[in-house]
């Protein structure tokens, strides 16, 4: 029975690619699929694009492929990624130029068409058609402040690019798991438009594989949170990213390259399976709706887990959109107070800052306060001890974040603090972040008919072969 071996690339912009080297050199993979776009990464890329219109893509793709492509070329391994972000063509041209300078000319495919900002900006479109996915708020509330809007594409253009002989495929915003489903469907000849139960179930298996591999080392024992059991995960310094072997019927084996750290077992795989899943019986993607209820994970030992039982139904006629809008400015300051009375000192300092904001009539929407080491990770799920206990702590760190629509208010926030160093409650460590105004981008999730997106999707080929 025919099969494909595909390895995980990055799990986010800035992830480590040396584990991918092990998958290429020792994992016998035919494809690497690399996910550079976490949910908020487009906001980061938009700030890059504001500074330089030629940017807007995940710039780590260039040094990554300078490292990986010679290894992949020698072994016939092909590469798919969404590092194009808001500028897929710019990313492809940057990669092409960098590799050409080293005498290499892979066939690079660029997938475009996910940009739907013009549609979001069109005032003739009814508010209800692009309402906020969770709150129902009308898009007119943010329309004038929108700066990007991208639909989550499926695997079809990736299959088209690979069918046309691309060695490297660079996309913009596609569904994370589609990066993996595309090579699987291409190599095994699966029909992405299948309507029969067997075909939909195969696609569901492929989608599950993509979901298990899309977060790099998290699928092979990284970030493993089980109490005490995480200590048994070996050699995280040399973790191997997960690899999947997938057969014609959709059966899959999750493993990793030999001689690497980490662990692939029932527990690590099931943790990743449920990661970022709202409804395990209806995990929606542009290609298929996955029902995880019948999935069976069989731990075969030796870092091998067999996956069967995924069930699929036809996808809907809408695609998810992630849009970003200008949402004011932020400034923050952190400083610490020590025993004795650490907590009371922190409260007195916070009250002083609140007084200054009021007396100077500083325009702001929120002053957010948290205490790193006490409640910054879990918020209300981490109730604070009583004040008398807090006052006996060695130190209490305090972080204040000002959110405002007025840039001058954010710029001036840090100037409220320095004098407290000698004239306020005794503190133990200097202020950090006195001058760090940053622009905030709000996220607007919505839906758009796929019929308004998919006809505009294009696959462009760059480069030759060398």
């Amino acid at each position: 029975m025919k099969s494909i071996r595909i390895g995980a690339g990055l799990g986010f912009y800035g992830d480590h690619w040396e584990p991918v080297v092990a998958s290429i050199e020792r994992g016998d993979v035919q494809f690497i699929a690399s996910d550079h776009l976490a949910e908020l990464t487009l906001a980061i890329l938009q700030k890059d694009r504001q500074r330089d219109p030629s940017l807007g893509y995940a710039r780590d793709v260039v040094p990554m492929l300078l490292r990986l492509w010679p290894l992949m070329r020698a072994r016939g391994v092909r590469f798919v990624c969404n590092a194009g972000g808001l500028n897929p063509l710019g990313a492809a041209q940057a990669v092409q130029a960098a590799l050409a300078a080293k005498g290499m000319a892979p066939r690079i495919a660029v997938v475009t068409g996910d940009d739907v900002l013009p549609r979001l900006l069109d005032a003739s479109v009814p508010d209800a058609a692009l309402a906020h996915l969770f709150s129902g708020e009308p898009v007119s509330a943010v329309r004038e402040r929108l700066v990007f809007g991208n639909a989550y594409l499926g695997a079809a253009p990736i299959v088209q690019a690979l069918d046309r002989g691309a060695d490297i495929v660079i996309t913009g915003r596609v569904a994370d798991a589609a990066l993996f489903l595309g090579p699987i469907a291409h190599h095994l000849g699966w029909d992405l438009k299948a309507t029969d139960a067997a075909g939909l179930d195969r696609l569901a298996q492929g989608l599950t594989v993509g979901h298990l591999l899309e977060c790099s080392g998290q699928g092979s024992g990284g970030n493993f949170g089980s109490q005490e059991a995480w200590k048994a995960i070996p050699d995280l310094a040399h973790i191997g990213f997960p690899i999947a072997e997938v057969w014609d019927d959709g059966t899959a084996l999750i493993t990793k390259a030999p001689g690497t750290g980490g662990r692939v077992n029932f527990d690590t795989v099931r943790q990743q399976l449920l990661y970022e899943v709202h409804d395990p019986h209806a995990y929606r993607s542009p290609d298929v709706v996955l029902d995880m209820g019948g999935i069976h994970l069989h731990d075969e030992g030796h870092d091998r887990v067999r996956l069967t039982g995924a069930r699929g139904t036809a996808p809907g006629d809408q695609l998810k959109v992630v849009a970003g809008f200008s949402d004011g400015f932020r400034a923050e300051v952190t400083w610490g107070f020590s025993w004795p009375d650490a907590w009371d000192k922190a409260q007195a300092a916070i009250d002083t800052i609140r007084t200054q904001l009021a007396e100077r009539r500083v325009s702001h929407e929120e002053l957010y306060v948290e205490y790193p080491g006490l409640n910054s990770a879990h918020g209300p799920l981490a109730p604070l001890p009583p004040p008398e206990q807090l006052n006996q702590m060695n130190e209490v760190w305090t972080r204040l974040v000002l959110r405002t629509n007025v840039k001058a208010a954010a710029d001036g926030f840090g100037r409220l603090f320095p004098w407290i160093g000698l004239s306020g409650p005794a503190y133990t460590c200097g202020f950090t972040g006195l001058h760090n105004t940053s622009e905030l981008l709000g996220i607007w999730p919505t839906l758009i008919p796929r019929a308004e997106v998919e006809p505009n999707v294009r696959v462009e080929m760059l480069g030759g072969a060398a």
Side-chain angles (χ1 to χ4, degrees), residues 36-37 71 100 119 211 243 268 275 289 364 424 463:
H36 298 243
L37 302 182
L71 305 176
R119 176 69 172 170
H211 179 60
I243 295 169
T268 61
Y275 178 68
V289 178
H364 65 286

Side-chain angles (χ1 to χ4, degrees), residues 97-127:
L99 292 178
K102 300 292 185 181
M104 296 175 282
R107 295 177 294 266
I108 302 175
V110 186
V111 176
T112 58
D114 58 302
D115 183 357
V116 295
L117 182 60
R119 176 69 172 170
L120 299 178
L121 294 176
D122 186 350
S124 69
V125 178
D127 265 352

Side-chain angles (χ1 to χ4, degrees), residues 52-370:
D52 182 345
S54 70
L55 298 178
Y57 58 88
R59 286 178 284 173
D60 56 356
V61 70
V62 175
M64 176 184 184
L65 284 174
L66 282 172
R67 172 75 170 108
L68 299 183
W69 176 245
L71 305 176
M72 291 190 288
R73 180 181 61 169
R75 296 165 176 82
V77 178
R78 301 163 80 180
F79 182 84
V80 177
C81 73
N82 58 7
L86 299 174
N87 186 6
L89 181 58
Q93 290 171 336
V95 168
Q96 183 183 41
L99 292 178
K102 300 292 185 181
M104 296 175 282
R107 295 177 294 266
I108 302 175
V110 186
V111 176
T112 58
D114 58 302
D115 183 357
V116 295
L117 182 60
R119 176 69 172 170
L120 299 178
L121 294 176
D122 186 350
S124 69
V125 178
D127 265 352
L130 297 169
H132 192 284
L133 191 57
F134 304 112
S135 71
E137 188 178 3
V139 71
S140 57
V142 299
R143 180 174 278 136
E144 293 183 355
R145 293 181 283 145
L146 288 168
V147 291
F148 69 83
N150 297 76
Y152 285 75
L153 303 181
I158 297 172
V159 172
Q160 181 184 345
L162 294 171
D163 285 349
R164 291 173 61 179
D167 300 307
I168 297 171
V169 182
I170 298 178
T171 78
R173 181 70 275 182
V174 301
D176 299 347
L179 295 167
F180 298 82
L181 180 58
I184 293 170
H186 157 76
H187 190 80
L188 298 178
W190 291 355
D191 182 4
L192 289 174
K193 296 183 178 180
T195 57
D196 62 295
L200 288 167
D201 288 349
R202 281 193 296 270
L203 294 179
Q205 281 282 128
L207 184 73
T208 305
V209 167
H211 179 60
L212 291 175
L213 270 60
E214 69 190 29
C215 293
S216 65
Q218 188 168 275
S220 51
N223 200 27
F224 186 58
S226 181
Q227 188 172 14
E228 294 297 323
W230 67 270
K231 298 177 182 178
I233 305 296
D235 196 15
L236 289 175
H238 303 98
I239 191 170
F241 286 176
I243 295 169
E245 184 164 4
V246 187
W247 285 267
D248 275 333
D249 64 355
T251 299
L253 185 73
I254 310 301
T255 184
K256 62 184 184 70
T260 58
R263 176 74 72 230
V264 175
N265 63 19
F266 174 78
D267 290 319
T268 61
V269 172
R270 69 169 173 172
Q271 175 179 276
Q272 175 60 31
L273 179 67
L274 297 176
Y275 178 68
E276 292 183 338
V277 172
H278 175 257
D279 183 351
H281 295 289
Y283 184 69
R284 301 182 184 277
S285 84
D287 301 297
V288 66
V289 178
L290 165 63
D291 181 356
M292 298 181 177
I295 284 179
H296 181 73
L297 300 175
H298 176 66
D299 193 334
E300 298 184 352
H302 306 289
D303 294 305
R304 295 161 56 90
V305 174
R306 190 167 296 272
L307 164 69
T308 57
R311 298 290 178 261
T313 55
D317 59 1
Q318 292 185 303
L319 299 176
K320 182 181 176 182
V321 170
V322 58
F325 61 93
S326 297
D327 197 24
F329 303 89
R330 181 193 73 173
E332 66 174 83
V333 173
T334 299
W335 81 109
F337 301 89
S338 63
W339 181 93
D341 306 323
W343 177 255
D344 287 346
K345 292 172 185 173
Q347 301 313 300
I350 293 166
D351 289 343
T352 298
I353 297 301
R354 292 190 188 278
T355 298
Q356 291 189 87
L357 290 172
E359 291 180 349
R360 300 185 186 199
R361 298 182 181 179
V362 177
S363 176
H364 65 286
E365 281 58 57
E366 180 184 11
L367 180 66
Y368 176 76
V369 181
E370 68 177 9

